[in-house]
Structure formats: structure tokens, C-alpha cells
Amino acid sequence: MSKTKVFSLFFGLVSLAGIAQESAEIKEQITQLPKLSYLDSIKATFVGHETSNCIDEMWMKELSNQELFNDMQSDINKANSNEAVSYDLNTELLKERLEKLNQKSPFNVEYNPTIEGVIKGFLKNRPRAFERLMALSEYYFPMFESKLSKYDLPLEIKYLAIVESALNPLAKSRVGASGLWQFMYETGKQYNLEVNSYVDERYDPLKATEAACQYFTNMYKIFGDWDLVLASYNTGPGNISKAIRRSGGQTNYWNIRKYMHQETQGYLPAFYATMYIYEYKKEHGIVPKRATMTYFETDTVMVKKQMSFKQLSDLLDMPEEQLRFLNPIYKRDVVPFVTDKAHFIRLPKNKLAVFTSNEDKVYAYINYEDSKREKQIFKVKKPRTIVSDSIPTAVASTNVSNSAEEDNEEVTSKPVKKLRTKYYTVKRGDNLSEISEKNNVSMADLKKWNKIKGSTVNAGQKLKIQFETNVVVAEKMAKKKKTDTLKVSEPIVKNEEPKTEVTTNEKVYVVQKGDNLTQIATKNNVTIAELKEWNAIDSEGIKAGQELKIKTSEEVVAAVEKAEKKEVKKSTFRERSLEKERMYVVQKGDSLLRISKKHGISVAAIKKLNNIQGDEIRPGQKLKING
């Protein structure tokens, strides 16, 4: 053999060894992939999961800025000081601009030294604040204008929300006024704003704006003057009426202003100063910041189950702070579900698309989270024996006494932790991380129980899984013995209960003619899979007279056996009817797909039989299952 061929063969063998090593490393990496959580596996199946913009974090902080609200409240209180403010604004020019505003507004926009002082104070001390407020306005003003137009109200009223809350939907004053429009609790209730442990609709921008528009409409019918309507919004109609009486019947705001509260005296000047600065911002070099999102880039969807902001945040990949900002109505970061009142969640439109496209998966995750909560354990009570009224008095009294003695044999129950073992058959594509997640156990325990050293499992392999369960065990108290010298006849007893024994092991069921695994499983409150596992049955075939093991811990065996005997005596017509149309009670964790596989019937057939439109079913629901 030539040297060239020898070298070629040598390098070929080295290359093959390298490829084999590389493939082994890849295989090892695959087996060591991090396990997918239930949340990640749900999100991996989302339709249109790729979403981009939400609310920018800096912008969201700006939208809920408390500093602007505090500054505005401070400026309103100072508006009545009449202190001269040094700012370069010609008085005659100001009068001319105010007159132009007056010509195109239903408000009485007139020059007043107080208004001049407030305008100059705002321009000198708050120009940057107004730049920020103008960015916030881009978010809220379209919605305000829509509602004001609906009630045929002056659009300039939108500037009042700046004076009220500095456009902070979470603003709360020292006296308890809340939200964009600063509703007090009583006034909010008067205008149908719901307030309870979960919800405060005063913080809902849409509903609060609607209520404010209704208030303005009602007050204008009373006063017929927009200055007095706005003043009444701050101090209440009763105080406006008092100020009119104290002034001798005058109705011009500027004439009765001195009879109002100090805050109300600065309230209207702040409103007119805000209107002026918005209309003449360019002339004063104020450049508004830009909003990153408007109110119309969000929308709402009704919830069908209670859910938390944390669950929504995990599912939609958006911070909880953004959900709080968009949904300030919910006080405890929980969207409640009430059957007689719809509740909605507001989301950016791109996130809303994800929610609505994957609604069934969203609720599946909510159900999964709820299933992890600890459930209440109920005690078992022993029914009392009823004595016939037809027993003679002497006999009845004697036997009632004896019955009382027997009732001293008290049956109590208590939950006991019991270690159970079940088996899981590995399916193609399964790995240890998925199996441990599916069965709510750790991978380390799974390896320990099955003496697995590596991370690989084979399809068809049976894995042992241990778990603890609460078993309700009945205990009998010691029976007090009493011997009677007087012999009496046995009483006639109504509804005599069978003597029962409680077992925590297993019982044997003898297959009757016409039985199938589905009927036996339903009758004994177990699954077909468990029946097959306990009795090493591979197919669906069973025969009459065959004995089946049924494990039980919470059932009274004798009572079940009595029910089984009663079932055997039913007419053949009843058996044929049951075979034709069986009923299945939905268990927790069931889905239509799982039920269809269990009973060998298609999902479409189940839906048609039970008039089900979507894919939603609930535990306890009875479903017709044919054939």
C-alpha cells in the first residue's frame, strides 16, 4: 500500500472519531436542556406571540407622576395672593389674546389682574412642567373630547382635568378626592361609580369622565353659567348658592368670588391660565414633549375568570406597573369575576391581540394556577336511624333508649397523610424534566425512585412516582355495653342502613354480563387507566365473571357492593339505554380532548351531543357520551 493511501486512511479514521465525539457532546447537551415550566410551554403555543411595543417605562412614570399633581395643588392655593410676578408679558398684549380666546369659547374669558398673576407665575415657574403636561394631554385629550362632544359640552372643559389632577389617574387629594376628575366617595356613588373591596371606578378614566360630563350637564341646568359650573365642581353647588346669597344675589363669578373657599378662589384663575398657556405655547417658547402612546392605542377585553396582574404579566410579558397604570380601577392587583357584572382589562392593542388569540390557553393557565391552592377537607357524619311512628309507646321508648346507647358508638373522621405509588409509562419524545413537571415532583426524586443515574429514559419504560395524599379515615368510639332484664320486641326501622366497613386497601369487582371498563370505572369513581394498571389489562376486552381489583381509600366497600348488586338487577332495557347514551361527570383537569381519548369518541361528537360551542368545560358538568 502506498504512503499516500496510508495517510488518507489515517486522517479518515481521525475525522470519524471527531464526528462521533461531537455527536456525543450534542446528545449530552440535548439531555441536559433546562426544563420547561408549564407557563413557558403554554406561551410557546401562543398564536402571534411576537409582540413589540408596550408602554415605555419612562413614559409610564411620567403618566403617573405625583409631583405635577402636588405642584398644581400648591399653585391653586397661591393664586389668591395677588403678589406681583416678574415676567416679561405686556398687559395690553395679554388682554388682546384673552379677548381672542373669549370670541371662540362659551366661557367668559376676561382679563383680570388675578388671572394675569397666575399666568405669569405659571410661565415663570412651571414652563417645563407644562411641556410634560402637554405630552400627557396627547394621551388623554382625545378621550376627553369624545365624551364632551357626546354630551354637547364645551371642549375647553378638558383643561379642568389638568387643574384637578395634573392628568394623574391615581391622584388622591388630602380629603380623599380620587382619580383624573377628583371625585369624592359620595359624589362618585351619586353618579354610579362603583367602589368596593376590589374596584374603585373613580380611578377609571373612561367611567370617571362620563360621570364628570353628567355632572357638568346637571350643574349647567341649575346655574346657566360655565364659570359657576366649574366653581361648583370644586366646592359643590350648595356653597355656590351660599356665595350668591351673601353677595346680595349677584351671579358673576368675579363678584361673588370673595365669598368662596380660598381653594375655589384660585381654582378658576388656574383654569383660565392653563387654557391660555395651551393656546399660546409657541409664543412663549414652550415645546411639548411627545407621547409614546395615545389612549386610542389601547382597548379592553371582558374577563371570564378572576385573574391577577401577576398572572397577566407572566402570560403577556408586560410589567405589572403598566397593568396598574392602564387599569387603576383595580385596587388589589386583581381583576374580579362577578356573574352579574362584567369586568374588563385594558391592554395595549398588540397585547390585546395576543390575549384574544390565545384566550383558551390563558384560562387554562389560570385554572392550572388555581388548582395548586389547598382545598378544604370535609368531615364524614354518620346518619341517624329513624324509628317508625307505628311502634307502641312503651316499646318505642325502650328502644329509643337503647338507640341512644348505640349512638354512643360515635363515628368520627380525620385526614391522614398516606404515601401512594403510581406508575407513568414513558411516551415517545418524553424527557425526565417534562415528566417531573407533569407529575409535580422533582427530577432528583424521580431518579431516586427509579434508580436512574443519567438523564435519559426510553419510550415504553414504566417509572415509579410516589406522592402523599390526604385520606379520610373513619374511627369508631368504644361502644358502651348495657344489659336489659326487660325483653322487648325489635322495632320496625325505616331506611335501615347496611352495616359497612371502611377499608383503605382494595376490593374485588366481579364483571357482570354487559359490563365494560368505562361503566366499571364510572361506577367505582376511578379511571380506565387505573383499572388497566391494577389488573394488568392491555386491551379493552373483559369477560363476565372476571374479577377486577379496585383500590380504594375513601369509599365504604359494603355500600358500593350493595349499589353494584342493585345495578345488576336493572332491566335489560335500562342497560341498553345506558349503552346507547352514557353520562360522564367532568373531573378537575379534564379537557374535551382527554375525555374523547378516554371514551373513544371524537371531540366534535361530544360537542354536538352536548351543544357546546367553544372548548370550555367545568368540573362537575355532565356530558353525554355515546356508544
Side-chain angles (χ1 to χ4, degrees):
M1 186 182 292
S2 66
K3 288 183 180 180
T4 307
K5 289 183 178 180
V6 170
F7 278 116
S8 299
L9 181 62
F10 174 74
F11 284 117
L13 290 172
V14 170
S15 300
L16 284 171
I19 291 168
Q21 184 178 355
E22 186 179 348
S23 64
E25 288 174 358
I26 292 170
K27 186 176 180 181
E28 185 179 355
Q29 288 173 6
I30 291 171
T31 58
Q32 293 178 356
L33 284 173
K35 76 172 183 178
L36 274 176
S37 68
Y38 183 77
L39 174 65
D40 290 335
S41 63
I42 282 275
K43 287 163 66 175
T45 65
F46 272 8
V47 177
H49 184 233
E50 292 297 326
T51 58
S52 52
N53 67 307
C54 210
I55 305 176
D56 178 78
E57 187 177 348
M58 297 285 290
W59 172 231
M60 194 195 67
K61 287 180 180 177
E62 186 71 356
L63 282 166
S64 55
N65 196 310
Q66 186 71 16
E67 174 196 341
L68 292 174
F69 172 68
N70 294 335
D71 289 345
M72 181 59 73
Q73 297 302 304
S74 174
D75 288 341
I76 291 171
N77 290 326
K78 293 176 184 174
N80 200 35
S81 63
N82 292 324
E83 292 180 9
V85 179
S86 175
Y87 184 81
D88 185 16
L89 176 59
N90 183 275
T91 301
E92 291 305 316
L93 178 60
L94 176 61
K95 288 180 180 179
E96 183 183 322
R97 288 173 177 174
L98 290 174
E99 177 55 31
K100 285 182 181 179
L101 288 179
N102 187 53
Q103 290 171 5
K104 59 181 182 180
S105 169
F107 284 90
N108 300 316
V109 189
E110 299 174 325
Y111 171 80
N112 186 287
T114 303
I115 290 179
E116 181 179 9
V118 176
I119 289 172
K120 287 181 175 180
F122 280 176
L123 290 171
K124 180 181 179 180
N125 303 318
R126 309 285 184 212
R128 303 290 79 81
F130 271 93
E131 287 179 352
R132 293 159 64 186
L133 284 167
M134 287 171 187
L136 301 178
S137 303
E138 286 188 36
Y139 183 77
Y140 286 114
F141 275 11
M143 184 264 288
F144 291 166
E145 290 168 352
S146 172
K147 293 292 182 184
L148 291 166
S149 295
K150 174 184 171 182
Y151 286 88
D152 197 22
L153 295 168
L155 298 186
E156 291 85 353
I157 291 178
K158 65 190 177 186
Y159 298 122
L160 191 67
I162 294 172
V163 178
E164 282 288 346
S165 63
L167 299 181
N168 180 357
L170 299 174
K172 189 169 186 176
S173 74
R174 55 183 176 78
V175 294
S178 302
L180 283 173
W181 292 98
Q182 290 290 284
F183 272 101
M184 294 295 287
Y185 178 86
E186 298 81 2
T187 313
K189 283 287 188 180
Q190 183 183 346
Y191 285 89
N192 299 317
L193 294 177
E194 183 184 2
V195 181
N196 60 38
S197 297
Y198 276 117
V199 174
D200 190 340
E201 290 184 341
R202 294 179 295 167
Y203 291 111
D204 186 307
L206 277 171
K207 291 186 178 180
T209 303
E210 186 92 18
C213 289
Q214 292 171 8
Y215 182 95
F216 297 137
T217 302
N218 292 339
M219 290 303 104
Y220 189 74
K221 290 175 184 176
I222 295 172
F223 297 112
D225 181 277
W226 288 113
D227 285 355
L228 296 184
V229 168
L230 297 194
S232 74
Y233 192 83
N234 178 259
T235 192
N239 287 326
I240 299 298
S241 299
K242 286 178 188 175
I244 291 172
R245 288 197 299 272
R246 288 169 183 164
S247 69
Q250 297 183 72
T251 56
N252 183 289
Y253 168 80
W254 297 102
N255 294 336
I256 65 174
R257 179 169 171 263
K258 61 184 177 182
Y259 299 106
M260 298 177 185
H261 295 304
Q262 183 177 350
E263 183 181 329
T264 311
Q265 291 180 31
Y267 187 73
L268 210 65
F271 169 76
Y272 282 125
T274 300
M275 184 192 299
Y276 171 84
I277 291 172
Y278 264 78
E279 296 296 327
Y280 289 98
K281 55 182 176 289
K282 288 183 181 177
E283 287 77 358
H284 293 285
I286 294 175
V287 180
K289 293 186 178 180
R290 306 303 299 173
T292 59
M293 176 180 287
T294 68
Y295 205 80
F296 291 120
E297 290 179 71
T298 67
D299 208 341
T300 59
V301 61
M302 187 178 76
V303 300
K304 299 174 185 174
K305 189 173 180 64
Q306 180 172 301
M307 58 184 69
S308 68
F309 285 179
K310 172 69 168 62
Q311 290 168 335
L312 282 167
S313 171
D314 290 341
L315 283 163
L316 301 179
D317 292 325
M318 60 183 295
E320 288 182 60
E321 290 78 8
Q322 294 181 8
L323 286 164
R324 287 190 196 101
F325 169 72
L326 288 172
N327 301 275
I329 176 177
Y330 300 117
K331 297 157 67 173
R332 302 185 184 279
D333 292 354
V334 171
V335 188
F337 174 74
V338 184
T339 52
D340 57 351
K341 182 177 174 65
H343 286 98
F344 299 83
I345 188 76
R346 180 169 292 279
L347 297 168
K349 285 189 176 178
N350 59 337
K351 299 293 183 181
L352 189 79
V354 176
F355 186 100
T356 52
S357 300
N358 304 279
E359 207 164 350
D360 55 338
K361 297 166 188 173
V362 168
Y363 289 115
Y365 176 69
I366 303 296
N367 289 333
Y368 169 76
E369 288 284 288
D370 289 349
S371 70
K372 295 195 291 187
R373 291 174 53 203
E374 184 177 347
K375 303 298 185 293
Q376 186 178 353
I377 299 170
F378 293 94
K379 290 187 176 181
V380 179
K381 290 185 179 179
K382 181 183 177 182
R384 294 179 66 88
T385 305
I386 303 172
V387 181
S388 171
D389 296 335
S390 61
I391 304 172
T393 307
V395 175
S397 62
T398 307
N399 281 282
V400 167
S401 173
N402 288 341
S403 176
E405 289 297 329
E406 288 178 4
D407 280 346
N408 287 333
E409 183 186 43
E410 189 178 340
V411 177
T412 60
S413 62
K414 64 176 182 178
V416 175
K417 292 277 186 186
K418 188 174 179 66
L419 193 65
R420 294 279 185 94
T421 301
K422 66 177 182 179
Y423 290 88
Y424 178 83
T425 304
V426 179
K427 299 177 182 61
R428 176 176 283 183
D430 273 352
N431 59 51
L432 283 177
S433 64
E434 288 176 347
I435 296 168
S436 62
E437 176 75 23
K438 196 181 296 181
N439 292 279
N440 202 23
V441 297
S442 70
M443 197 189 295
D445 285 339
L446 201 57
K447 286 183 176 182
K448 183 176 74 175
W449 296 329
N450 296 279
K451 298 178 181 177
I452 298 171
K453 293 184 179 179
S455 301
T456 56
V457 286
N458 302 316
Q461 183 179 347
K462 286 197 173 184
L463 299 181
K464 185 192 295 183
I465 296 170
Q466 294 182 349
F467 62 99
E468 280 190 344
T469 182
N470 283 327
V471 178
V472 179
V473 178
E475 293 183 341
K476 291 184 179 180
M477 301 294 289
K479 178 179 174 183
K480 183 179 178 182
K481 293 183 180 180
K482 182 177 178 181
T483 55
D484 293 319
T485 54
L486 177 63
K487 291 184 180 180
V488 294
S489 59
E490 290 293 319
I492 302 169
V493 179
K494 290 181 181 176
N495 300 328
E496 185 176 348
E497 295 290 335
K499 292 181 181 178
T500 61
E501 292 180 6
V502 178
T503 178
T504 57
N505 297 317
E506 64 184 33
K507 74 183 187 75
V508 175
Y509 178 87
V510 180
V511 178
Q512 307 298 318
K513 189 173 182 180
D515 270 353
N516 58 46
L517 287 178
T518 304
Q519 289 176 333
I520 296 169
T522 305
K523 198 182 296 181
N524 292 279
N525 198 24
V526 297
T527 65
I528 295 174
E530 288 172 334
L531 275 178
K532 287 184 175 181
E533 183 182 319
W534 295 332
N535 296 279
I537 297 173
D538 294 324
S539 64
E540 298 286 336
I542 53 172
K543 56 183 181 291
Q546 183 179 346
E547 292 184 350
L548 298 180
K549 287 190 290 185
I550 296 173
K551 296 185 180 181
T552 177
S553 61
E554 299 175 5
E555 295 174 335
V556 180
V557 174
V560 172
E561 289 175 350
K562 181 185 174 185
E564 290 166 356
K565 289 175 185 176
K566 189 176 179 182
E567 191 72 17
V568 172
K569 292 177 183 177
K570 289 185 180 178
S571 66
T572 55
F573 173 80
R574 171 69 175 154
E575 288 174 356
R576 285 197 298 272
S577 175
L578 279 172
E579 286 178 6
K580 185 177 180 183
E581 187 174 273
R582 294 198 309 275
M583 301 299 290
Y584 176 77
V585 180
V586 178
Q587 307 297 315
K588 185 172 233 178
D590 271 349
S591 66
L592 287 175
L593 182 62
R594 183 177 175 184
I595 294 168
S596 70
K597 287 181 178 177
K598 187 186 294 184
H599 295 283
I601 181 172
S602 70
V603 173
I606 295 175
K607 286 184 176 182
K608 185 176 179 182
L609 278 170
N610 296 277
N611 294 324
I612 296 173
Q613 300 299 325
D615 295 318
E616 212 171 295
I617 53 174
R618 61 184 185 280
Q621 182 178 350
K622 290 184 179 179
L623 299 179
K624 293 178 185 176
I625 307 289
N626 268 8

